[in-house]
Amino acid sequence: TGREDATIRFYENYLISGNNFIRILSVTDFPLSIEHLESCSWPDFVIHFKKIDKLKAKNSINMKRKLHFSALFKGMRDVDSENAYYQAENIFDEVTSDAMSLFQVELFFLLRAETKEILDRLTTKVVYDFKGKDAEIRLEERGLSYFYQSLATGIAPSFKRQMEMPAPIVTGK
């Protein structure tokens, strides 16, 4: 490899590394479900996850419960807030009973193409595909060099784009 391959140039919302045009997308809202092996058709991605300590998880969930509790007593019903309260209530119960854990999760896509035009088309396709699954994706612009460096293997994740996600505890019993 030549020295020019190691040169990385950053632009507004993409970068060039060697002969690759690269764009970083982060998931801001996950799909409701992902089919078995569906991620095999995704472009390159990096997923970070870390279990949240039980006490911190309970405090975080309790804060969400408190935020939505007042909606239960409004004159005009706020169905979304009521649902959020009951969902937090259920998760709180399951975390307390050790049936579920809470995780910090972030997911980034690294789109690569030979030209900027192909990269733009690929970006549009990925964003469109995820919107069709009721998910949302952010095109990283600010801090692009930071995110690119933090996605390298061996670098501790920053969790700057993290979301909290509950997951059932599976035992091998």
Side-chain angles (χ1 to χ4, degrees):
T1 59
R3 203 127 160 82
E4 58 214 346
D5 290 345
T7 302
I8 299 173
R9 295 183 305 267
F10 292 91
Y11 297 93
E12 183 178 331
N13 60 16
Y14 68 97
L15 60 108
I16 299 175
S17 176
N19 295 325
N20 289 311
F21 287 76
I22 301 171
R23 184 164 283 143
I24 299 174
L25 306 174
S26 59
V27 176
T28 58
D29 192 15
F30 285 95
L32 292 176
S33 66
I34 298 173
E35 297 297 320
H36 188 64
L37 300 178
E38 181 178 346
S39 62
C40 293
S41 66
W42 292 353
D44 291 341
F45 64 92
V46 176
I47 186 166
H48 296 132
F49 57 93
K50 177 177 149 185
K51 185 178 177 183
I52 300 173
D53 173 73
K54 185 175 177 177
L55 182 59
K56 288 180 182 177
K58 286 170 44 177
N59 288 339
S60 176
I61 297 165
N62 200 34
M63 177 65 74
K64 289 179 180 136
R65 288 169 59 213
K66 288 178 182 179
L67 286 172
H68 295 287
F69 182 72
S70 63
L72 299 176
F73 304 104
K74 287 183 177 178
M76 182 180 280
R77 291 187 62 192
D78 181 350
V79 177
D80 290 335
S81 192
E82 287 178 29
N83 289 340
Y85 170 79
Y86 290 120
Q87 181 182 26
E89 185 78 14
N90 290 337
I91 292 170
F92 185 83
D93 290 342
E94 290 181 326
V95 167
T96 301
S97 67
D98 291 328
M100 189 170 288
S101 288
L102 199 61
F103 290 84
Q104 289 177 305
V105 179
E106 61 183 7
L107 173 62
F108 294 92
F109 289 105
L110 294 164
L111 307 182
R112 299 176 197 275
E114 294 177 1
T115 67
K116 171 80 167 50
E117 293 76 25
I118 294 171
L119 182 65
D120 290 342
R121 285 195 302 266
L122 179 58
T123 302
T124 301
K125 180 187 179 318
V126 170
V127 169
Y128 178 80
D129 287 349
F130 269 77
K131 279 189 179 191
K133 298 174 195 237
D134 290 330
E136 291 184 35
I137 293 182
R138 169 189 290 132
L139 173 63
E140 293 297 345
E141 296 175 327
R142 291 186 176 178
L144 187 59
S145 63
Y146 170 80
F147 284 113
Y148 186 67
Q149 292 172 30
S150 70
L151 297 177
T153 303
I155 304 296
S158 66
F159 290 104
K160 296 271 186 212
R161 299 287 188 234
Q162 67 95 22
M163 293 174 276
E164 291 181 353
M165 183 175 292
I169 295 177
V170 180
T171 60
K173 295 178 184 177

